[in-house]
């Protein structure tokens, strides 16, 4: 029986999503919790996430699927897993039983991230480890002017990690917006797939635009350079949050109806 899980977590203190043998990861604590709930050896359980998040990156809408040998109600799955996650800042928000044709990663249409910048003199307290603090005034108009240059299908070599393992640097940003919320700036980005550190490198470059180190008109030249050193710094992970994953609504309904 396959179940679709929507997962929320505070990435602080985790070595990212992906299971690692010598570090605490989100996938790792979920496997442990699922093992206790189902009374199954975690090594015999497979949980597939829609995408990996780096150490320190948060999520409000990570999606994963997991297969169980017996049937449970979605309520039992959510409550059973969460009862074994209480010592971690991870929770399963929503569960639905779904056809085995659904795949959390490969069935996804797009993934959406938000990067938050706190632009004020005083440092964060309540939002510590949730925002990138910038105590100097940013030129928000210049940052807005730079946004359209990132839209669409392009070679993002200059905006991916030097150790990125993707074979193709071409990606299409379906949507990218920069929205001001009082003292905060929110960079919202959606695409089918992202390169390693792509969003954080875009944010770091936009920050340099805001500080006057780059002009908006410099962005096309940065793309053309196809060189990571041509762009701005990598923004810290704690300002980034995995917001949601979109799937084909018709297929999701079909896959859910098919098991009822």
């Amino acid at each position: 029986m396959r179940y679709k899980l929507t997962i929320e977590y505070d990435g602080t203190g985790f070595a990212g999503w992906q299971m690692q043998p010598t570090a605490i990861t989100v996938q790792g604590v979920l496997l442990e919790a699922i093992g206790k709930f189902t009374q199954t050896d975690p090594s015999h359980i497979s949980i597939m996430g829609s995408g990996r998040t780096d150490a320190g990156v948060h999520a409000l809408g990570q999606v994963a699927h997991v297969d169980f040998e017996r049937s449970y109600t979605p309520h039992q799955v959510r409550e059973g897993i969460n009862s074994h996650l209480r010592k971690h800042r991870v929770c399963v928000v929503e569960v639905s039983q779904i056809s085995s044709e659904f795949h959390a990663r490969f069935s996804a249409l797009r993934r959406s991230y938000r990067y938050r910048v706190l632009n004020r003199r005083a440092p964060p307290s309540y939002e510590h480890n949730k925002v990138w603090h910038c105590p100097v005034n940013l030129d928000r108009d210049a940052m807005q002017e730079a946004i359209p240059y990132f839209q669409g299908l392009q070679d993002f070599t200059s905006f991916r990690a030097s150790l990125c393992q993707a074979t193709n640097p071409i990606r299409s940003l379906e949507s990218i917006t920069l929205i001001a919320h009082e003292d905060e700036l929110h960079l919202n980005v959606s695409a089918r797939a992202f390169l390693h550190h792509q969003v954080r490198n875009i944010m770091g470059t936009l920050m340099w635009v805001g500080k006057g180190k780059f002009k908006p008109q410099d962005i096309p030249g940065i793309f053309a350079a196809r060189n990571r050193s041509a762009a701005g710094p990598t923004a810290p992970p704690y300002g980034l949050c995995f917001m949601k994953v979109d799937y084909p609504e018709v297929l999701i309904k079909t896959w859910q109806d098919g098991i009822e």
Side-chain angles (χ1 to χ4, degrees), residues 32-42 45 70 72 84:
E32 182 181 359
I34 292 169
K36 290 178 179 178
F37 162 58
T38 60
Q39 297 184 339
T40 305
D41 186 334
I45 302 168
R70 55 161 291 190
Y72 302 92
H84 298 290

Side-chain angles (χ1 to χ4, degrees), residues 147-182:
I147 289 294
Y149 291 112
F150 294 95
Q151 186 93 33
L153 184 69
Q154 301 190 71
D155 184 329
F156 279 88
T157 296
S158 295
F159 299 95
R160 69 169 176 169
S162 57
L163 297 179
C164 178
Q165 297 178 354
T167 57
N168 189 350
I170 306 297
R171 291 293 185 272
S172 178
L173 291 192
E174 297 181 17
S175 173
I176 177 168
T177 61
L178 185 68
I179 300 175
H181 291 272
E182 298 180 349

Side-chain angles (χ1 to χ4, degrees), residues 132-144:
W132 185 13
H133 178 227
C134 178
V136 301
N137 289 330
L138 295 170
D139 186 340
R140 299 185 180 189
D141 289 339
M143 295 172 76
Q144 285 286 4

Side-chain angles (χ1 to χ4, degrees), residues 37-254:
F37 162 58
T38 60
Q39 297 184 339
T40 305
D41 186 334
S43 65
H44 296 157
I45 302 168
S46 175
I47 179 169
M48 174 61 68
S50 63
R52 301 178 185 180
T53 52
D54 291 332
V57 174
H58 316 293
L60 290 175
Q62 170 72 281
V63 173
H65 75 254
V66 61
D67 296 332
F68 296 143
E69 292 185 359
R70 55 161 291 190
S71 178
Y72 302 92
T73 67
H75 176 80
Q76 287 175 319
V77 174
R78 184 186 64 199
E79 299 305 303
I81 296 174
N82 284 340
S83 69
H84 298 290
L85 285 172
R86 290 172 182 163
K87 67 178 181 179
H88 300 290
R89 293 184 177 180
V90 181
C91 73
V92 177
V93 179
E94 184 178 310
V95 175
S96 58
Q97 193 173 354
I98 200 160
S99 163
S100 60
E101 294 178 20
F102 170 81
H103 194 285
R105 179 183 174 189
F106 298 125
S107 300
L109 286 178
R110 70 186 60 83
R111 297 156 176 85
S112 298
Y113 286 85
R114 171 172 295 162
Y115 198 101
R116 296 172 59 195
V117 173
L118 180 64
N119 187 205
R120 71 181 189 192
R121 189 65 186 172
S125 55
Y126 182 76
E127 296 287 3
H128 181 64
N129 283 337
K130 298 293 189 304
V131 295
W132 185 13
H133 178 227
C134 178
V136 301
N137 289 330
L138 295 170
D139 186 340
R140 299 185 180 189
D141 289 339
M143 295 172 76
Q144 285 286 4
E145 189 179 343
I147 289 294
Y149 291 112
F150 294 95
Q151 186 93 33
L153 184 69
Q154 301 190 71
D155 184 329
F156 279 88
T157 296
S158 295
F159 299 95
R160 69 169 176 169
S162 57
L163 297 179
C164 178
Q165 297 178 354
T167 57
N168 189 350
I170 306 297
R171 291 293 185 272
S172 178
L173 291 192
E174 297 181 17
S175 173
I176 177 168
T177 61
L178 185 68
I179 300 175
H181 291 272
E182 298 180 349
D183 290 335
E184 287 193 22
L185 290 173
H186 293 177
L187 178 70
N188 300 302
V189 184
S190 296
R192 186 177 184 89
F194 291 90
L195 299 165
H196 192 203
H197 289 176
Q198 184 179 353
V199 179
R200 291 167 58 189
N201 290 337
I202 290 173
M203 188 70 251
T205 301
L206 284 172
M207 285 287 277
W208 273 22
V209 172
K211 293 178 179 180
K213 296 183 178 181
F214 286 148
K215 296 178 181 179
Q217 298 77 16
D218 293 333
I219 304 302
I222 295 173
F223 272 101
R226 293 182 177 84
N227 189 320
R228 176 68 192 94
S229 63
T234 302
Y238 44 79
L240 186 61
C241 184
F242 191 175
M243 300 300 292
K244 66 174 183 174
V245 190
D246 292 318
Y247 296 94
E249 290 186 14
V250 173
L251 290 180
I252 286 289
K253 186 178 187 307
T254 299

Side-chain angles (χ1 to χ4, degrees), residues 9-33 53-57 84-90:
Y9 52 87
D10 180 336
T12 308
F14 285 103
W17 164 267
Q18 188 73 10
M19 183 75 178
Q20 298 180 35
T22 59
I24 298 176
T25 67
V26 178
Q27 188 182 37
V29 300
L30 280 166
L31 282 171
E32 182 181 359
T53 52
D54 291 332
V57 174
H84 298 290
L85 285 172
R86 290 172 182 163
K87 67 178 181 179
H88 300 290
R89 293 184 177 180
V90 181

